[in-house]
Amino acid sequence: MTVESFFGAVEALLTAETMFWLLAGVIVGIIVGGLPGLGPPLGMAIILPLTLPLDPANAIILLVGVYSGSMYGGSIAAILINTPGVSSSAATMFDGYPMSQQGRAATALAISATASAFAGLFTITALILFSPALIEMVLAVGTPERFLVAILGLAMITVVTRGSFAKGILAGVAGLLVTTVGIAPMSLDQRYSETMYLYDGIDFVAVLIGLFAIAEMMKLAGQEGGIAKGEVTIDRAGVTEGITSTLKHPITVFKSANIGMIVGAIPGAGATVSNFVAYSEAVRSSNDPDSFGSGNEVGVIASEASNNGTVAGSLVPAISFGIPGSSSTAVLIGGLLMHDLRPGPSMFDPSGELTLTYTMLLALLVGNVVILIFGLSAVTQLGYLTKIDTDYIIPMVVVLSFLGTYALRINPIDILTVIVFGVIGFYMVRYNYSVIAFVLGVVLGDIAEENLYTALQLSDGSYMIFVNPLEYGRWISLFLSILIAALLFGPFIKRWWEDWQSA
Amino acid sequence: MVSVIMDRRTFVQTTGAVGAVGLTGLAGCLGEDDNGDDGDFPSESLTWMIPWGEGGGTDTYARQMAPLMEEPLDQSIEIDNREGAGSMLGSEWLTQQDPDGYTFGTVNPPGWSFTWRAQEVDGWHPDDLEPIAHSGVFGYTLIVNDDAAEEAGIDDFGSLRDAYADGEISGFGYQGAGSDSHLSTLLLREEYDLDYDSAVPYDGGGPTMEAVIGGEVAAGFATNTSAVAAEESGEATAIVNLMDIDLDHVFPDIDPITDYGDSLAWITEFYQVQVAPPETPEEEREVLMDAIQEATEAEDTQEWEEETGNIVEFGDMDDAADQYVGSVDEIESQVDDTIGGFDEFQQMVEEEEDEEE
């Protein structure tokens, strides 16, 4: 029956109409993702009412096409102008943009296309093969585990910080402080919310755009010429170099895609978290961690593989339980319901909607091939942007950044946020404070606080819920706690062990 | 008491109300129809403010109704999402707009009035806004994890109460500290003897539903529409209807809370009420009211209601006023009667926090 559903899906997919909608979805997604601030939820929400006349399969394919395409598209602005097209491409900037400055934008864009596509292909295949196990995992992961994943991300500050360790910690804590603005997520406390515009806190996408796009434009304003400082090569050799570089790091692609898929399957964690975790893991496991941040190709590979891996992961809770892990999947669930499809076990049942689920997953597979072809051909040509005089680039990026930010929630405070964090970002870079550590704090603060509070409520205030599976039955929590301890204390123990051995 | 007939299938799709539907309004590109100003209202395009983000329940209603209102009004309607501060930001914005009928919005009393009171908002009062009409209603149910229900033999509110009292199940999830569902949670304990071991706040409806489905808490709150999604997951069942509205056609075995005490509708049942800025003339509001009525009665809307499970219910200007004018006072006196007042409520919330610390 399952095999039958599978071949039914292949048949459904291989029609000209379906292929057209898939192609349209992916390309619209790449464009929406490429524009700063406008992420996948916005693109999908705009498309949603337009899917009404389509049959359910095509409608869903169009939506997941936009989703997948925009996850990749986010990397384009990240690499070319140091602006996260989508927040889940933030880590791509760290090494992608320095590559552009070195005149290697085409290579970086080719890496991004290849890593995105391969991670997508791999994770979707894994989803088709192992969906029952992933469904189990979603049910096993709860509030305590989400808190620990956030802490794991924060512990990564120790890994990604280069130079002064104290400055890294300081930056991370400052990032956490930013998330304390607004009504406390789990209590009635109002923090610094003198004006109602601050009730919901400071929007982290606005912070990201300020820290990276605006700060970089301020820096560029003081320079002559284009973004690229040297010769810009946009030829076949550059693109080939990108492809080979990705293929030379299959373990990074595999590992990052897995991180993306697993973290993505945890509702509420999502693509931005998985993006940073994957990047930090690439830094941690590298022989040359100091080269990250100045154009290390592996950084781009890890970041881009993880955010496309997240697409597959986030579909699990959305399709199997109707749980929207992110706003993108919330819109997708809306699309399913609009077309009379009910998220639930029937979506994975051969006598239910399994054929349609397979059609959607296979469409995503093909969508990744589209990303690969489109990304390697048309998108790499955008590398020419880095040659254009910054006098033309700066006004465009600044206007797009403000427009994109304001469109997010029509809150004037976001405009102020962009400006303030633009200045902060400019000086952080100048005085060697880790912007990555700061961003980790901003992204993870809310998740950590909210889930810590709820977890302690579950355990009547006992912290043992994180480490004692015998009483609470949460083995994944114990595993994550050990992982965090290893990350924090591993280097010290290793050094102590080596000293002891040599003594 | 209102009875709404709807079958199970129709109700199913409604997580859509929580999940989706477009941001087309955000583009803000609907141009003005220039019919010339001949004194007839409306002679140019209108703005419909929704104080929540795109894709929420209230947004979904507006996006269904707006195109159907455009025909009788002969003008385009642009939906303007102004989310934030639990709908207070958008509401405040609405009070500051010109009272010419071209700008109106939707609010969700009595939850809206509760939030206004709980946040101690200054500068405007819910009663300041002028009523137009109401177009729908939604509210809370209690859902129970299926494994927990099976083990403890829970099939109605009485057996849910017993299961907590006997310590057979653990954890009760609600949607955010200090929210209307938090107050309802306290009321269920004080007035209906629901003796849960720990009440656990989650960040909104989605996470609460997820916690019940995953078994992290045995039971918790879900709106009538997301309760259907919870049942579809095959891991949870809607056991108690906290609203006055009859849901038997959707959940045949659901147990009404009114069998165990007074109605809780004043804090568990919410309306989609359209309001205009203070001092908007009645004449303009009547034109809008008629258009809303036409939209709610359109065949298209009936189909939408059946397909999505959202409950469409038209009420005229007076009905709309009944839903919110004076509702702050009513909530105040209800909270006084049941738990001794808002200060006591906040104190109870803080005590719960302190227990954790």
Side-chain angles (χ1 to χ4, degrees):
Chain A
M1 281 296 273
T2 308
V3 178
E4 225 168 80
S5 302
F6 185 80
F7 285 106
V10 174
E11 202 179 317
L13 183 66
L14 293 177
T15 60
E17 198 195 342
T18 304
M19 282 297 172
F20 170 79
W21 290 117
L22 174 63
L23 197 67
V26 173
I27 291 173
V28 167
I30 294 176
I31 295 168
V32 170
L35 294 169
L38 310 183
L42 186 93
M44 293 166 77
I46 290 174
I47 295 282
L48 186 63
L50 310 178
T51 66
L52 258 182
L54 303 184
D55 71 54
N58 286 341
I60 301 307
I61 284 171
L62 179 61
L63 285 172
V64 293
V66 176
Y67 185 21
S68 175
S70 52
M71 280 293 185
Y72 156 70
S75 68
I76 301 170
I79 290 170
L80 294 175
I81 51 175
N82 205 35
T83 307
V86 295
S87 58
S88 50
S89 290
T92 307
M93 291 184 292
F94 305 149
D95 286 286
Y97 183 69
M99 286 181 73
S100 287
Q101 289 177 313
Q102 295 155 10
R104 296 160 65 213
T107 307
L109 289 168
I111 289 178
S112 150
T114 321
S116 294
F118 279 107
L121 288 171
F122 164 72
T123 49
I124 299 290
T125 312
L127 183 57
I128 292 174
L129 294 175
F130 306 117
S131 50
L134 279 165
I135 291 171
E136 283 299 312
M137 197 202 82
V138 169
L139 283 182
V141 168
T143 307
E145 290 78 17
R146 269 197 288 275
F147 167 71
L148 291 168
V149 168
I151 296 301
L152 183 69
L154 288 172
M156 291 287 188
I157 288 178
T158 58
V159 173
V160 295
T161 304
R162 306 262 73 88
S164 165
F165 188 66
K167 278 182 169 177
I169 298 286
L170 199 63
V173 172
L176 283 176
L177 266 182
V178 171
T179 67
T180 61
V181 176
I183 290 187
M186 285 298 151
S187 65
L188 287 177
D189 301 324
Q190 294 191 13
R191 304 158 173 168
Y192 324 107
S193 43
E194 299 306 318
T195 154
M196 226 191 273
Y197 292 110
L198 277 173
Y199 265 39
D200 299 306
I202 292 175
D203 189 82
F204 84 88
V205 177
V207 173
L208 284 180
I209 289 180
L211 278 181
F212 293 100
I214 301 300
E216 184 59 26
M217 292 308 124
M218 284 168 70
K219 196 174 124 212
L220 284 182
Q223 295 173 5
E224 294 289 321
I227 286 173
K229 294 185 185 97
E231 186 83 1
V232 178
T233 41
I234 299 168
D235 52 11
R236 201 169 290 168
V239 175
T240 316
E241 192 193 326
I243 302 171
T244 4
S245 168
T246 312
L247 294 179
K248 270 191 200 155
H249 296 94
I251 294 174
T252 307
V253 176
F254 179 77
K255 202 164 56 175
S256 309
N258 267 312
I259 291 174
M261 180 161 71
I262 290 169
V263 178
I266 303 173
T272 313
V273 176
S274 73
N275 184 240
F276 283 108
V277 174
Y279 180 81
S280 312
E281 170 55 25
V283 177
R284 192 200 61 82
S285 56
S286 167
N287 293 328
D288 183 17
D290 289 328
S291 64
F292 282 83
S294 47
N296 189 325
E297 294 168 355
V298 180
V300 182
I301 297 174
S303 170
E304 282 307 300
S306 75
N307 61 27
N308 274 56
T310 304
V311 174
S314 67
L315 290 178
V316 177
I319 302 177
S320 50
F321 302 109
I323 297 171
S326 64
S327 6
S328 313
T329 45
V331 180
L332 181 67
I333 292 171
L336 289 169
L337 297 168
M338 213 163 102
H339 289 277
D340 212 5
L341 298 164
R342 305 156 203 183
S346 73
M347 295 293 288
F348 287 99
D349 184 354
S351 60
E353 303 289 352
L354 186 63
T355 307
L356 187 118
T357 306
Y358 276 159
T359 312
M360 177 174 86
L361 295 177
L362 288 174
L364 272 174
L365 273 183
V366 180
N368 280 296
V369 178
V370 175
I371 287 177
L372 188 65
I373 296 168
F374 193 72
L376 290 179
S377 53
V379 176
T380 45
Q381 300 305 310
L382 289 172
Y384 283 109
L385 272 176
T386 57
K387 283 169 90 172
I388 299 173
D389 195 302
T390 49
D391 289 350
Y392 302 103
I393 295 286
I394 293 170
M396 283 196 289
V397 173
V398 169
V399 169
L400 269 180
S401 298
F402 280 104
L403 267 182
T405 312
Y406 190 60
L408 279 176
R409 45 174 206 173
I410 326 236
N411 186 338
I413 214 84
D414 293 342
I415 298 294
L416 204 62
T417 306
V418 170
I419 298 171
V420 169
F421 284 91
V423 175
I424 292 177
F426 180 77
Y427 284 103
M428 280 183 83
V429 173
R430 174 168 284 192
Y431 293 104
N432 292 321
Y433 284 89
S434 169
V435 179
I436 309 181
F438 185 79
V439 170
L440 277 171
V442 175
V443 170
L444 297 167
D446 276 341
I447 302 176
E449 183 187 351
E450 188 180 308
N451 289 295
L452 173 64
Y453 186 88
T454 304
L456 290 180
Q457 204 102 2
L458 282 169
S459 67
D460 275 335
S462 167
Y463 288 89
M464 296 308 282
I465 193 169
F466 301 114
V467 287
N468 184 355
L470 295 175
E471 188 180 346
Y472 295 95
R474 312 201 79 99
W475 291 94
I476 302 178
S477 282
L478 178 66
F479 171 73
L480 287 167
S481 299
I482 293 173
L483 210 60
I484 293 165
L487 198 65
L488 289 177
F489 303 114
F492 297 106
I493 295 171
K494 195 176 157 203
R495 201 180 308 155
W496 173 79
W497 176 254
E498 282 166 359
D499 289 350
W500 188 76
Q501 288 286 71
S502 57
Chain B
M1 175 130 153
V2 187
S3 171
V4 177
I5 296 176
M6 194 182 299
D7 67 32
R8 190 128 185 358
R9 189 192 73 81
T10 61
F11 221 177
V12 139
Q13 306 187 342
T14 327
T15 18
V18 194
V21 172
L23 291 175
T24 42
L26 204 141
C29 54
L30 294 169
E32 289 184 8
D33 276 11
D34 190 9
N35 289 354
D37 190 6
D38 51 10
D40 285 342
F41 174 82
S43 61
E44 54 184 67
S45 69
L46 299 102
T47 300
W48 187 346
M49 188 281 305
I50 300 297
W52 305 101
E54 297 83 1
T58 303
D59 182 66
T60 316
Y61 267 90
R63 286 177 198 276
Q64 167 60 28
M65 303 286 166
L68 300 166
M69 287 166 63
E70 286 177 352
E71 201 179 320
L73 292 171
D74 196 25
Q75 291 296 339
S76 62
I77 298 176
E78 185 185 327
I79 289 176
D80 185 4
N81 296 83
R82 292 180 175 266
E83 63 181 292
S87 85
M88 291 300 111
L89 267 185
S91 306
E92 180 167 294
W93 177 85
L94 189 64
T95 62
Q96 296 159 353
Q97 302 311 300
D98 290 338
D100 55 10
Y102 286 96
T103 308
F104 63 101
T106 301
V107 293
N108 308 118
W112 176 61
S113 321
F114 175 83
T115 309
W116 182 88
R117 173 62 186 82
Q119 289 189 9
E120 297 174 349
V121 176
D122 284 331
W124 60 277
H125 190 282
D127 292 0
D128 295 345
L129 289 155
E130 306 283 358
I132 299 173
H134 71 68
S135 55
V137 62
F138 63 98
Y140 287 129
T141 67
L142 295 184
I143 54 171
V144 179
N145 179 279
D146 280 350
D147 293 340
E150 200 178 322
E151 270 173 41
I154 302 166
D155 57 4
D156 58 10
F157 184 69
S159 47
L160 177 67
R161 207 160 52 179
D162 294 345
Y164 276 121
D166 300 342
E168 286 177 277
I169 55 172
S170 172
F172 182 79
Y174 61 92
Q175 305 178 359
S179 68
D180 42 35
S181 75
H182 193 179
L183 176 59
S184 311
T185 302
L186 294 173
L187 290 174
L188 285 170
R189 189 180 65 196
E190 305 284 314
E191 307 274 312
Y192 300 81
D193 303 323
L194 189 69
D195 193 17
Y196 41 77
D197 55 338
S198 64
V200 186
Y202 288 90
D203 187 22
T208 312
M209 178 175 110
E210 188 198 329
V212 176
I213 287 177
E216 193 168 283
V217 289
F221 278 84
T223 58
N224 55 343
T225 49
S226 49
V228 181
E231 287 208 347
E232 282 302 319
S233 76
E235 307 280 341
T237 305
I239 301 275
V240 187
N241 179 6
L242 297 177
M243 299 183 277
D244 282 356
I245 287 183
D246 190 354
L247 294 174
D248 286 357
H249 299 284
V250 189
F251 308 106
D253 301 322
I254 201 161
D255 197 20
I257 192 73
T258 41
D259 285 359
Y260 299 84
D262 295 337
S263 162
L264 271 176
W266 63 274
I267 194 67
T268 58
E269 202 170 277
F270 312 102
Y271 279 79
Q272 302 286 353
V273 178
Q274 279 72 53
V275 289
E279 293 173 25
T280 304
E282 193 171 334
E283 206 177 315
E284 272 80 7
R285 287 186 281 131
E286 264 169 11
V287 175
L288 293 172
M289 178 184 80
D290 293 342
I292 291 169
Q293 182 168 17
E294 204 159 309
T296 53
E297 287 166 3
E299 204 176 309
D300 200 60
T301 304
Q302 310 290 326
E303 273 172 31
W304 175 78
E305 181 178 17
E306 275 185 22
E307 276 169 19
T308 63
N310 287 296
I311 305 169
V312 174
E313 194 194 302
F314 175 76
D316 64 14
M317 208 178 284
D318 293 335
D319 295 331
D322 286 346
Q323 293 306 330
Y324 75 92
V325 176
S327 66
V328 173
D329 294 339
E330 197 201 326
I331 285 178
E332 192 95 50
S333 76
Q334 288 276 16
V335 175
D336 273 345
D337 291 349
T338 47
I339 54 174
F342 265 88
D343 290 342
E344 277 67 21
F345 173 50
Q346 305 220 344
Q347 206 178 326
M348 286 165 101
V349 173
E350 278 160 22
E351 274 166 19
E352 280 185 0
E353 280 172 39
D354 292 342
E355 277 171 29
E356 296 318 312
E357 287 158 13

